[in-house]
Amino acid sequence: MTHRDTQLKYPTPKKGPSMASWTAMSIAQALSPSARKSGQNWLTRCPAHADDGPSLSLIDGKDGRVIFNCLAGCDFRDVSRELANLGFALPGSPRRITATAVKPPEPQRSPRHTQHHVTWDYAPEKALTAPFDIQRLFRERAPLVTSIWDWMNKGGELLFRTARLDDPERGKSVVPITPCICRHTNKVEWRMKGPDGPRPLYNLQNLTDQTVAVVTEGEKVADAVRNLFRDQPGVWVTTTLGGAKSPHLVDWSPVAGLTVVVAHDYDAAGLAFAAAVAENARLHGAISSHLWTPPVDLIVNNGAPAPRPAPTPAGFDLFDAAIEGWTLPLLATLQHPWHGPEIVSWSKISA
């Protein structure tokens, strides 16, 4: 159920002065009937994405405002816009909703009216038997799904999937989808939630006896780089679940004994991602780690590198480079295919 669906069952909040009576609890319960309290915070469904969470955390601030944060990573401006669309006025700070300093008493509910909280547990062993239905998962946003990626263990067993949505208004997003089993009914289905425990690296089923691991930002770039290295059996291409935001949540043990090359995006977040990956790789036994910057100063012209005539857009990556016509032989002509404290000869992966 999306947050727009909840408008069919709950009164739409009225804009204006009456908004001063809203609290974290009342906002959370208006957004979802399954809202629950966790410590001082209220957890409810985020209106900015198709949330099976709950992912939106709200708390009553000391200054008479309600402070919110999407734990799934939605931009606060997207959450603000969706809350405003639902009738919650947002004066002042975009991260806060105006609320009265004197909170109204919380309603007392009898036990028979307390809703039973349904818990779904990650069950990778059910990946092949759970029905996978994009329409059920994403509902009205299903047409925005442009790619689905399978994440497997080293034995080739499916663990979970990720889906990319290209929304013309909200931009792109990648969400994990995992096979789950209901604790109460044993029902099995795919749900939008991340896997438990340390996150596996992408393409583990292709890791054999390679000596070099190329780590990219995202599955789309990983597939493009893997195509670049299709004739190089010594290279394993991978990425992390959550992209630039989550290298610290990953199980990096597979890179032990490998030379790690981080093919980062051309922006500040890409450099931060590369630094985090390099540090985690070192801590988990990588021989060395290096940064591979995409060819931002050059472009392919008539089959050869030439000066780029216009500034390189932020976020430029090796997927974009491949679209421009860069191939592995052309990339190998650059003076330093990757950068780092120790420069490794390109012959290590091109030989």
Side-chain angles (χ1 to χ4, degrees):
M1 179 184 291
T2 66
H3 292 306
R4 294 183 179 87
D5 295 330
T6 64
Q7 290 181 288
L8 301 176
K9 294 185 177 181
Y10 295 90
T12 301
K14 297 179 180 179
K15 298 181 181 180
S18 61
M19 281 301 300
S21 63
W22 287 95
T23 65
M25 180 195 74
S26 55
I27 292 170
Q29 292 177 343
L31 289 175
S32 171
S34 59
R36 57 186 172 86
K37 196 169 185 181
S38 176
Q40 298 298 313
N41 296 56
W42 277 87
L43 295 176
T44 188
R45 293 183 177 179
C46 175
H49 72 283
D51 187 12
D52 274 350
S55 299
L56 187 66
S57 173
L58 304 104
I59 187 171
D60 292 315
K62 295 179 180 179
D63 57 352
R65 295 171 182 261
V66 177
I67 304 170
F68 66 86
N69 178 45
C70 177
L71 303 179
C74 287
D75 189 285
F76 72 90
R77 288 163 293 194
D78 294 334
V79 181
S80 297
R81 182 173 60 248
E82 293 300 324
L83 287 171
N85 290 339
L86 290 172
F88 296 102
L90 299 171
S93 169
R95 286 184 182 271
R96 299 169 180 228
I97 303 170
T98 297
T100 179
V102 180
K103 309 296 188 296
E106 297 185 4
Q108 298 297 317
R109 294 188 176 189
S110 62
R112 66 187 183 89
H113 289 122
T114 301
Q115 183 170 354
H116 183 60
H117 181 64
V118 178
T119 303
W120 293 85
D121 294 322
Y122 173 49
E125 70 279 3
K126 303 293 185 181
L128 297 181
T129 57
F132 189 77
D133 185 346
I134 291 293
Q135 187 63 47
R136 183 195 66 79
L137 282 164
F138 293 96
R139 300 179 184 269
E140 71 274 8
R141 300 190 74 200
L144 303 178
V145 177
T146 55
S147 298
I148 299 286
W149 291 282
D150 290 346
W151 290 64
M152 303 181 183
N153 61 18
K154 200 170 180 180
E157 298 170 316
L158 181 61
L159 298 176
F160 60 92
R161 292 184 168 114
T162 50
R164 175 182 171 121
L165 291 82
D166 287 288
D167 191 319
E169 296 181 358
R170 301 175 183 173
K172 71 108 174 174
S173 60
V174 177
V175 297
I177 313 168
T178 53
C180 297
I181 185 168
C182 179
R183 256 182 224 180
H184 311 292
T185 65
N186 289 327
K187 181 180 179 181
V188 175
E189 64 180 46
W190 288 81
R191 299 184 68 83
M192 282 185 283
K193 61 174 291 185
D196 296 338
R199 299 175 176 182
L201 287 165
Y202 183 56
N203 278 334
L204 278 174
Q205 73 276 14
N206 294 322
L207 177 59
T208 54
D209 56 353
Q210 293 94 333
T211 58
V212 174
V214 178
V215 184
T216 71
E217 284 189 61
E219 302 91 332
K220 183 179 178 180
V221 184
D223 290 349
V225 174
R226 185 170 57 171
N227 186 54
L228 285 175
F229 286 100
R230 61 186 178 274
D231 298 324
Q232 305 296 326
V235 178
W236 173 54
V237 182
T238 186
T239 190
T240 61
L241 176 61
K245 299 178 181 178
S246 58
H248 61 291
L249 301 176
V250 173
D251 174 13
W252 290 100
S253 60
V255 305
L258 301 182
T259 294
V260 173
V261 179
V262 190
H264 63 90
D265 294 358
Y266 181 62
D267 53 22
L271 286 173
F273 170 78
V277 170
E279 178 64 12
N280 279 281
R282 182 187 67 80
L283 293 174
H284 286 81
I287 294 175
S288 59
S289 56
H290 314 271
L291 308 188
W292 185 6
T293 303
V296 295
D297 298 324
L298 300 172
I299 195 169
V300 176
N301 186 13
N302 295 324
R308 186 175 291 274
T312 306
F316 186 84
D317 55 35
L318 288 177
F319 175 86
D320 301 317
I323 295 296
E324 289 185 350
W326 287 94
T327 62
L328 189 60
L330 283 175
L331 290 168
T333 64
L334 304 181
Q335 182 178 4
H336 295 304
W338 58 59
H339 306 277
E342 175 191 351
I343 302 299
V344 177
S345 170
W346 182 260
S347 63
K348 267 204 159 188
I349 55 176
S350 62

